[in-house]
């Protein structure tokens, strides 16, 4: 299979990445065209030590860094909330964040694309999380019956710049806290102290308002059956602090709403 066929399948995703990076379809597509023109002009520039997809993104980043196009959005461009949030990030953090969270590259591949170390990629993604939090700081409701875990999650949320309105240990406590102050983000376990369900509490809360929901649970298989609408954001216990931070940033960044029909 020749190079053009190998990279063709990845072009739609590269356009998605380019548009998100630039905040504009016009500018993003222009950078993709510039990358392809450079590749046609000198095919030997394609890195043979990388997979076709990683190599294509690597060449794109080289074009993005060396060519200055008009990246200002025209009045007719449609801008999503995610794109507006992207524009707030510093360039390098934006690149790493999009490669990891939108394009789904592993740390090693993202490092190869950007020409940096894996440690630098992880630091850039953490920086992006902090930058996002500064712009989308919100009120957080934690639904968790284990005190130490609840305290840890509360610390993580506060460390990102968010405000914690309270910790609920039961279904009823969650409803009461949300009644006093509507949260902008919910972090919930699915099995609570009194035998009640955090899943049911979340569903009831979402009947009256929308908010991103992240489930943090020791029983992820209960929410990963594929038999019904399921949450976009799910963290397994035991969790890593960086995983929770990155997931909070993603949930707020893309303004994803938990399904009301879980």
């Amino acid at each position: 299979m020749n190079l053009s066929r190998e990279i063709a399948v990845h072009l739609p995703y590269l356009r998605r990445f380019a548009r998100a990076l630039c905040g504009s379809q016009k500018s993003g597509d222009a950078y993709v065209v510039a990358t392809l023109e450079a590749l046609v002009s000198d095919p030997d520039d394609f890195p043979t030590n990388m997979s076709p997809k990683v190599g294509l993104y690597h060449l794109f980043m080289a074009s993005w860094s060396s060519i200055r196009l008009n990246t200002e959005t025209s009045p007719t461009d449609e801008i999503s909330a995610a794109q507006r949030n992207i524009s707030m990030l510093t360039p390098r953090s934006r690149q790493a964040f999009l490669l990891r969270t939108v394009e789904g590259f592993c740390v090693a591949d993202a490092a190869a694309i950007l020409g940096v170390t894996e440690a630098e990629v992880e630091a850039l993604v953490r920086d992006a999380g902090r930058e996002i939090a500064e712009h989308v700081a919100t009120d957080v409701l934690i639904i968790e019956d284990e005190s130490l875990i609840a305290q840890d999650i509360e610390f993580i949320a506060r460390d990102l710049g968010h405000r914690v309105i309270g910790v609920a240990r039961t279904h009823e406590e969650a409803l009461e806290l949300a009644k006093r102050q509507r949260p902008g983000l919910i972090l919930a376990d699915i099995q609570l102290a009194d035998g009640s369900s955090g899943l049911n509490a979340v569903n009831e809360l979402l009947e009256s308002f929308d908010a991103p929901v992240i489930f943090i649970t020791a029983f992820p298989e209960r929410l990963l059956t594929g038999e019904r609408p399921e949450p976009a954001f799910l963290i397994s216990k035991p969790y890593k602090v960086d995983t929770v931070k990155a997931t909070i940033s993603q949930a707020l960044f893309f303004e994803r709403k938990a399904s009301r029909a879980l």
Side-chain angles (χ1 to χ4, degrees), residues 100-101 125-126 156 160 187 214-216 233-251:
R100 292 283 288 126
T101 64
V125 173
R126 287 195 296 271
I156 292 170
L160 285 172
L187 303 173
I214 300 171
F215 285 99
I216 305 177
F233 301 104
L234 179 64
I235 298 173
S236 299
K237 294 179 180 176
Y239 54 79
K240 295 181 180 179
V241 171
D242 283 346
T243 299
V244 177
K245 287 185 174 182
T247 306
I248 288 174
S249 295
Q250 289 178 56

Side-chain angles (χ1 to χ4, degrees), residues 199-217:
L199 186 61
N200 291 339
V202 166
N203 278 327
E204 191 166 342
L205 290 173
L206 295 182
E207 289 177 0
S208 56
F209 64 89
D210 282 325
V213 179
I214 300 171
F215 285 99
I216 305 177
T217 177

Side-chain angles (χ1 to χ4, degrees), residues 190-191 199 215 217-228 230-231 234-237:
I190 63 172
Q191 184 168 303
L199 186 61
F215 285 99
T217 177
F219 307 99
E221 66 279 359
R222 298 184 185 180
L223 296 175
L224 295 172
T225 64
E227 298 173 354
R228 57 186 177 181
E230 295 171 342
L234 179 64
I235 298 173
S236 299
K237 294 179 180 176

Side-chain angles (χ1 to χ4, degrees), residues 1-123:
M1 185 180 293
N2 61 33
L3 181 59
S4 62
R5 290 182 179 178
E6 289 182 321
I7 67 173
V9 68
H10 305 301
L11 289 178
Y13 306 102
L14 181 64
R15 292 190 191 96
R16 175 183 63 185
F17 173 71
R19 293 169 185 178
L21 189 63
C22 297
S24 162
Q25 177 178 340
K26 180 180 179 181
S27 295
D29 287 354
Y31 274 109
V32 172
V33 169
T35 300
L36 296 177
E37 288 176 343
L39 184 57
V40 169
S41 174
D42 192 355
D44 291 337
D45 278 350
F46 196 89
T48 57
N49 62 332
M50 300 179 186
S51 69
K53 185 175 183 180
V54 172
L56 178 62
Y57 277 69
H58 178 77
L59 284 182
F60 171 84
M61 289 311 309
S63 296
W64 195 85
S65 300
S66 62
I67 304 171
R68 182 164 184 81
L69 299 176
N70 178 18
T71 57
E72 292 186 6
T73 304
S74 68
T76 58
D77 281 338
E78 293 183 0
I79 301 299
S80 69
Q83 286 175 323
R84 288 194 297 271
N85 288 335
I86 286 170
S87 67
M88 298 173 183
L89 303 180
T90 54
R92 211 59 168 164
S93 296
R94 183 163 74 243
Q95 295 161 18
F97 184 82
L98 288 171
L99 288 171
R100 292 283 288 126
T101 64
V102 176
E103 302 306 314
F105 285 105
C106 66
V107 173
D109 284 347
I113 290 168
L114 295 177
V116 299
T117 66
E118 294 182 23
E120 286 175 302
V121 168
E122 292 174 334

Side-chain angles (χ1 to χ4, degrees), residues 102-210:
V102 176
E103 302 306 314
F105 285 105
C106 66
V107 173
D109 284 347
I113 290 168
L114 295 177
V116 299
T117 66
E118 294 182 23
E120 286 175 302
V121 168
E122 292 174 334
L124 287 167
V125 173
R126 287 195 296 271
D127 289 344
R130 285 192 290 270
E131 292 175 33
I132 291 167
E134 290 175 2
H135 295 287
V136 294
T138 192
D139 296 319
V140 178
L141 170 62
I142 297 171
I143 306 175
E144 170 61 62
D145 64 332
E146 296 185 40
S147 298
L148 291 178
I149 294 178
Q151 289 175 13
D152 190 47
I153 295 172
E154 182 174 1
F155 175 80
I156 292 170
R158 293 188 186 280
D159 190 50
L160 285 172
H162 302 298
R163 301 169 295 276
V164 177
I165 64 173
V167 176
R169 299 181 68 252
T170 66
H171 182 141
E172 291 303 319
E173 287 179 9
L175 298 183
E176 183 60 32
L177 283 169
K179 186 184 299 183
R180 296 177 193 170
Q181 186 172 345
R182 181 174 295 183
L185 173 68
I186 301 171
L187 303 173
D189 194 356
I190 63 172
Q191 184 168 303
L192 303 180
D194 60 351
S196 62
S197 167
L199 186 61
N200 291 339
V202 166
N203 278 327
E204 191 166 342
L205 290 173
L206 295 182
E207 289 177 0
S208 56
F209 64 89
D210 282 325

